[in-house]
Amino acid sequence: MVDALEASVENSLKETHSIESLIQNHTSNPIPRIDQRTHRTFDYKTDETVRRHLVVKHQNEVGGDFGGEVVPHYQPHQLITNPPSPSQITLELLLASQSHLGHSTSLWNPMNSRYIFGIRQGIHIISLDVTASHLRRACRIVSGVAERAGLILFVGSRPGQDRCVVNAARLAGGCHLFERWIPGSITNGNQILGGCQKKVVDENDNEIEGHDDHLLDQPALKPDLVVCLNPLENWVMLHECGLNNIPTIGIIDTDADPTWVTYPIPANDDSLRCVQVIAGVLGKAGQEGQVRRMERAKKGEIFYTPVELGGDDEEDDDEDYHEELIDEIAAEAGVLVEEEGK
C-alpha cells in the first residue's frame, strides 16, 4: 500500500513538472520551481544569474528574428596562410587593404600624376582601377617567368614584411630577402656570392649528381625577375638590376619614382595589409606558373635551352636568355600594356 502511494506521488510530481515547463516556455513570467527535498519554491528575484538568463531568453523570444549574424570578415593570418589568387583581385579587396591611400600632397612625385585619382584632406588618393590593372599585369609577368623556369627574387626589408616575403617566394618557387641588400650582389656577384652552394637540376627539379667539379667554375646566379615591396629603401638593388637588364616589379607610392622599376604597381607601400595582399597575389601567380611548368615537363616540353656546363660564353648566354625570356613574356602581356597606354 505504501509503495503504491509513493509511486502515485512521484507520478503526480512528474506531471506537475511537465506542466510547469510547458507553461514556462509560453510565458515571460516564470512559475517558481518547487524543491523536491524542502517542498519550497525558488525565489528567482534573489538569484542574479537566473534573472539575467530569463531576461536574455525573453529578449531572444521577442526580437530573435531581428538583425543579422555578426561574423569576423578580416582575419590577418589568412593573407599569409591562404592569400588571394590573381582571379580574386577586386576593387573591394584593394580598398579594404588601404591600397588607395597615398602621401601628403607636399611629398608627391609629379611622375605619379597618372596614377592619382584625387586629393582628400591634403592626401593623394590612388586610383584603384589603375592599381588593379597594373597588379594583374604584374601577375602575368610573374606567372610567365615561373612557367619558363625563371628565378624570381622577392625583396621586402621593412619590419613586418618578412613573413609575406618568405611565403610569396615559397609559393613561386623563388628566393627571398627580408634583410638589408648587400651592394654589389648583382654587379659583383662572383665575389660576394661566389661561395654559395649550387646544384644541377633537370626539368622536373630533381637534382642531378656528379657535376660538382663543373659548378666550381660557374658564375653566381642572377635572378630573372625581382619583386621589390619597398623600392625607396632598395634603390641600390634596383640600380644594379637596371645595369644587368633584369626586369623589376615594385610597389610605387605617390612619393616614389615609377621609373625605378620596369613594372610599377601604384599602391600604398606603408600599409602592411596592402603589401601582404600584393605579395600573396604575386606568389599565387608564380605558383600557377610552376604548376603549368611541371605539367608540361611531365610531357617532355620545356621552354628553355639547357645549359652546357664547362662553356666559355656562359655569362653572355645568361644575359641573352634573360632578354629573350622577358621579351617573350612581355609580348604575351602586351595586350594589357597597350590598353593601358590608350
Side-chain angles (χ1 to χ4, degrees), residues 151-319:
L151 181 61
I152 305 175
L153 174 62
F154 289 84
V155 180
S157 57
R158 287 185 181 178
Q161 296 182 354
D162 49 353
R163 294 184 61 189
C164 62
V165 169
V166 173
N167 184 69
R170 179 184 61 83
L171 293 175
C175 304
H176 62 269
L177 175 67
F178 52 84
E179 294 180 352
R180 187 181 69 89
W181 172 264
I182 300 177
S185 298
I186 295 179
T187 56
N188 195 20
N190 293 331
Q191 297 295 327
I192 298 177
L193 303 176
C196 296
Q197 186 178 3
K198 308 181 188 70
K199 64 179 180 180
V200 179
V201 296
D202 57 6
E203 65 274 7
N204 296 316
D205 292 343
N206 298 323
E207 185 176 359
I208 303 176
E209 303 290 343
H211 294 281
D212 296 337
D213 296 337
H214 297 286
L215 292 177
L216 296 176
D217 299 332
Q218 289 293 315
L221 294 177
K222 296 180 181 179
D224 299 300
L225 177 66
V226 176
V227 178
C228 184
L229 303 180
N230 54 330
L232 291 178
E233 289 83 0
N234 295 291
W235 62 272
V236 176
M237 178 198 65
L238 298 176
H239 180 67
E240 295 183 14
C241 292
L243 294 177
N244 289 268
N245 297 325
I246 298 176
T248 55
I249 297 175
I251 301 177
I252 299 300
D253 210 331
T254 57
D255 62 339
D257 190 352
T259 61
W260 285 359
V261 297
T262 311
Y263 304 100
I265 302 176
N268 183 11
D269 61 351
D270 297 318
S271 174
L272 184 59
R273 183 175 178 182
C274 174
V275 173
Q276 290 177 351
V277 168
I278 294 177
V281 169
L282 295 179
K284 278 285 190 176
Q287 186 182 33
E288 295 176 358
Q290 292 287 349
V291 171
R292 292 195 299 268
R293 180 179 68 86
M294 296 303 296
E295 290 178 353
R296 297 193 177 186
K298 293 179 181 179
K299 301 177 183 179
E301 301 177 4
I302 58 176
F303 292 95
Y304 56 92
T305 303
V307 178
E308 296 181 2
L309 299 178
D312 295 332
D313 300 332
E314 292 171 355
E315 292 190 17
D316 297 337
D317 295 340
D318 290 342
E319 293 181 359

Side-chain angles (χ1 to χ4, degrees), residues 29 32 45 52 58 63 66 72 88 95 106 108 136 166 189 207 218 269-270 272 295 307:
N29 297 323
K45 295 182 180 180
R52 291 180 180 176
H58 177 67
F66 298 100
Q88 296 176 343
L95 180 65
S106 61
W108 82 307
R136 293 190 183 100
V166 173
E207 185 176 359
Q218 289 293 315
D269 61 351
D270 297 318
L272 184 59
E295 290 178 353
V307 178

Side-chain angles (χ1 to χ4, degrees), residues 25-43:
N25 294 330
H26 291 81
T27 181
S28 59
N29 297 323
I31 298 175
R33 186 169 58 87
I34 300 176
D35 191 358
Q36 297 180 2
R37 187 179 63 179
T38 62
H39 301 286
R40 295 180 179 177
T41 59
F42 286 99
D43 188 4

Side-chain angles (χ1 to χ4, degrees), residues 60-221:
N60 292 334
E61 292 177 354
V62 175
D65 297 335
F66 298 100
E69 184 181 359
V70 180
V71 295
H73 292 279
Y74 171 53
Q75 298 178 354
H77 65 279
Q78 290 292 335
L79 294 178
I80 298 178
T81 59
N82 187 22
S85 61
S87 60
Q88 296 176 343
I89 300 175
T90 59
L91 299 184
E92 290 81 3
L93 176 63
L94 298 176
L95 180 65
S97 61
Q98 302 177 355
S99 304
H100 61 291
L101 298 178
H103 283 274
S104 174
T105 55
S106 61
L107 301 176
W108 82 307
N109 191 317
M111 301 188 68
N112 290 318
S113 59
R114 51 185 172 176
Y115 307 140
I116 295 176
F117 176 79
I119 301 175
R120 184 174 180 83
Q121 296 181 357
I123 297 177
H124 277 125
I125 304 300
I126 302 174
S127 177
L128 293 181
D129 292 331
V130 178
T131 302
S133 62
H134 281 68
L135 182 56
R136 293 190 183 100
R137 180 183 65 174
C139 290
R140 298 182 63 179
I141 296 296
V142 172
S143 179
V145 173
E147 185 178 0
R148 289 160 177 78
L151 181 61
I152 305 175
L153 174 62
F154 289 84
V155 180
S157 57
R158 287 185 181 178
Q161 296 182 354
D162 49 353
R163 294 184 61 189
C164 62
V165 169
V166 173
N167 184 69
R170 179 184 61 83
L171 293 175
C175 304
H176 62 269
L177 175 67
F178 52 84
E179 294 180 352
R180 187 181 69 89
W181 172 264
I182 300 177
S185 298
I186 295 179
T187 56
N188 195 20
N190 293 331
Q191 297 295 327
I192 298 177
L193 303 176
C196 296
Q197 186 178 3
K198 308 181 188 70
K199 64 179 180 180
V200 179
V201 296
D202 57 6
E203 65 274 7
N204 296 316
D205 292 343
N206 298 323
E207 185 176 359
I208 303 176
E209 303 290 343
H211 294 281
D212 296 337
D213 296 337
H214 297 286
L215 292 177
L216 296 176
D217 299 332
Q218 289 293 315
L221 294 177

